[in-house]
Amino acid sequence: MLNAAIRGLLSRAQEHALEYMDGIAERPVFPDADALAGLSAFDEALPAQGRDALATLELLHRQGSPATTAQTGPRYFGFVNGGLDPTALAARWLADAWDQNSALWMMSPTAAKLEAVTERWLVELLGLPRETVAGFVSGTAVSLVCGIAAARNALLSRAGWDVARQGLFEAPPLRVVTGAQAHATVARALSLLGLGSDRIERVPCDAQGRLRLDALPELDAHTLVLAAAGNVNSGAFDPLRGLCERAHAAGAWVHVDGAFGLWAAAAPARAHLCDGIELADSWSGDAHKTLNAPYDGGLILCRDGAALEAALHMDGAYIAWSEEGARDGMRYTPEMSRRARAVEIWALLRSRGSEGVAALIEGMCQHAAQFAGELEAAGFSLCNEVVFNQVLVACADDALTEATLAGVQASGECWCGASSWHGRRVIRISVCSGATTAADVSRSVAAFVRARDAACAAAPPPR
Ligand SMILES: *Cc1c(COP(=O)(O)O)cnc(C)c1O
């Protein structure tokens, strides 16, 4: 029997969580000054004697909850962070109680089974080649390391070089080709893997940030091409079909960074954006972004499962690999111990179905289009073609754009971040939560207008 104190503690945690979720739509989207000041309650010395468990949980909720950002609410548009699917959250709660280590089948047959099923469903949902394998990692930053390691080792192995044994010193050189606007985590993954950011051949992009095929250098069998499905600012997609065809004709490897854009492949009305994505060799995606699974849930998908496994391989006398047919998750990730991340992704896919996922993604795209239309009508300049979930807007000059954004952020009505685009400061809106409604978009636009009008009144434009 579960001890009454533990039962009480866990029930209280659930009550706090439900209270938090209940108020999420109406609280300030970014914590206000009082909430931030309340964080000083955590500045305690490490107690020598343990403190009461319920009081500890109480402190966490009273002081911690208000100083979170309302990322699970309907008007958080920052950083493509993504909302939270309730079924996935419920599954996560149960799986947290299991506290499984999903490294090996032997450590958690349930986690291994759900990884296998989720892998199969994801491959079908995204229209990827049947043989594609999936590793469940923390996010795209790590997934890129996995995909690039698989590519690097496979390309060098074809050149007669075994990176796992021989390392990189004196290896034949590899080339790396990306669009000029590849995400910063791509350069970091390359440098971690000994490929160095100076080696990157950055291909000029068009006005939307898409790699220009007409500017693509000659490729060869020693080239790793990193393509983007979803430009981090504009949401635009590299021309994946043309890129994959050119790359494969030359024997190059294509890895697609689809952190948030990968899910376009699951939405029939947006699938044209990632036309040809199935031709790539490997893919990165985040379940915690536009799919709205809980943090953290990254995916490495690789057509050549043996290449991914070879790149991430380790062994140990005490490691008992499973028989054929059972899955050991650590074969496909750089981690060993790892929570059972597939559980919540499985629950999300099962409860929404492929049609529900398509509706989720399409809804975000339509709300982004609504945002763009209403902001333009209110006099903001729209700076990108809104093809997916990303909207970039600006005011008459950089100072006004920044003052407007500061006003929007301080309003607590909604939250978005800043970026630069074609030499201009812009407000970057990422619609990435299934909780957002058309009314939330209009309410946010009203906050933009108030913030801009206040900024104009405070600093009238020079005559
Ligand atoms: C978010 C993002 C990343 C990094 O992913 P994490 O999940 O934060 O590790 C990489 N590329 C793109 C395009 C992204 O949007």
Side-chain angles (χ1 to χ4, degrees):
M1 261 294 274
L2 189 60
N3 150 338
I6 296 176
R7 184 180 292 272
L9 182 67
L10 295 175
S11 305
R12 184 64 65 81
Q14 190 191 43
E15 282 165 29
H16 288 332
L18 295 177
E19 181 186 277
Y20 177 82
M21 293 168 74
D22 241 351
I24 203 71
E26 289 314 318
R27 53 156 282 189
V29 178
F30 191 84
D32 60 23
D34 283 350
L36 294 176
L39 288 174
S40 62
F42 294 115
D43 293 330
E44 303 177 289
L46 170 68
Q49 269 89 47
R51 309 289 284 271
D52 179 69
L54 269 177
T56 299
L57 190 66
E58 200 66 24
L59 174 66
L60 183 64
H61 183 47
R62 292 295 154 229
Q63 308 303 134
S65 294
T68 58
T69 51
Q71 185 176 301
T72 60
R75 292 183 307 283
Y76 187 86
F77 306 110
F79 301 107
V80 211
N81 271 358
L84 181 58
D85 179 277
T87 311
L89 174 63
R92 167 77 184 267
W93 281 356
L94 179 57
D96 276 349
W98 298 345
D99 194 30
Q100 299 289 279
N101 185 336
S102 59
L104 297 170
W105 178 88
M106 184 178 279
M107 292 176 173
S108 182
T110 297
K113 174 52 106 180
L114 293 177
E115 280 196 1
V117 171
T118 305
E119 171 184 86
R120 180 159 57 78
W121 286 0
L122 287 169
V123 167
E124 181 183 332
L125 182 73
L126 298 168
L128 300 181
R130 259 247 193 74
E131 64 273 25
T132 302
V133 300
F136 297 87
V137 295
S138 60
T140 289
V142 170
S143 163
L144 285 164
V145 171
C146 301
I148 294 170
R152 178 195 66 182
N153 293 15
L155 290 170
L156 284 175
S157 152
R158 289 174 207 161
W161 190 269
D162 180 346
V163 179
R165 262 192 327 108
Q166 297 169 274
L168 273 187
F169 298 109
E170 286 144 49
L174 289 183
R175 292 171 57 205
V176 178
V177 171
T178 73
Q181 296 186 17
H183 195 270
T185 49
V186 168
R188 182 176 58 179
L190 289 166
S191 80
L192 270 172
L193 291 165
L195 293 172
S197 50
D198 278 359
R199 183 165 294 278
I200 304 175
E201 298 171 42
R202 293 179 186 275
V203 182
C205 292
D206 69 11
Q208 297 303 315
R210 288 177 291 243
L211 177 151
R212 271 176 41 207
L213 270 186
D214 65 331
L216 190 68
E218 214 43 58
L219 304 176
D220 58 33
H222 309 284
T223 309
L224 163 59
V225 178
L226 286 144
N231 177 287
V232 74
N233 283 311
S234 70
F237 289 63
D238 283 347
L240 298 173
R241 179 174 298 281
L243 205 45
C244 290
E245 284 171 357
R246 293 268 296 271
H248 287 161
W253 180 295
V254 181
H255 180 86
V256 177
D257 173 2
F260 65 92
L262 186 66
W263 307 107
R270 306 287 155 174
H272 62 277
L273 294 168
C274 39
D275 174 51
I277 197 168
E278 71 284 359
L279 302 175
D281 299 281
S282 50
W283 306 263
S284 292
D286 277 329
H288 55 231
K289 288 183 174 167
T290 29
L291 190 64
N292 285 198
Y295 273 80
D296 43 18
L299 299 164
I300 172 63
L301 296 149
C302 187
R303 174 200 298 268
D304 181 350
L308 183 67
E309 282 191 55
L312 302 175
H313 186 72
M314 60 169 274
D315 231 330
Y318 68 98
I319 297 175
W321 297 111
S322 299
E323 300 295 314
E324 189 63 29
R327 180 185 162 101
D328 295 314
M330 67 176 273
R331 287 180 182 278
Y332 312 101
T333 70
E335 295 124 326
M336 186 173 182
S337 298
R338 190 170 43 93
R339 71 178 184 86
R341 294 195 175 98
V343 174
E344 62 254 20
I345 304 174
W346 164 82
L348 186 153
L349 295 177
R350 187 169 193 278
S351 67
R352 287 196 186 259
S354 57
E355 291 176 10
V357 171
L360 172 73
I361 303 300
E362 184 56 28
M364 291 171 194
C365 297
Q366 293 188 1
H367 289 135
Q370 180 195 346
F371 232 125
E374 293 184 12
L375 284 171
E376 253 196 317
F380 286 83
S381 5
L382 181 63
C383 305
N384 67 318
E385 281 169 19
V386 179
V387 293
F388 196 54
N389 71 321
Q390 297 289 110
V391 183
L392 305 175
V393 293
C395 303
D397 59 56
D398 283 357
L400 188 56
T401 301
E402 296 207 338
T404 300
L405 178 58
V408 168
Q409 290 177 342
S411 74
E413 282 284 283
C414 67
W415 202 91
C416 350
S419 191
S420 292
W421 185 244
H422 295 304
R424 193 174 179 192
R425 295 299 285 163
V426 293
I427 301 175
R428 173 173 176 252
I429 302 162
S430 303
V431 182
C432 48
S433 173
T436 303
T437 64
D440 289 308
V441 173
S442 299
R443 179 169 161 182
S444 302
V445 169
F448 270 66
V449 170
R450 279 195 302 275
R452 183 201 51 201
D453 293 351
C456 281
R463 284 170 186 272

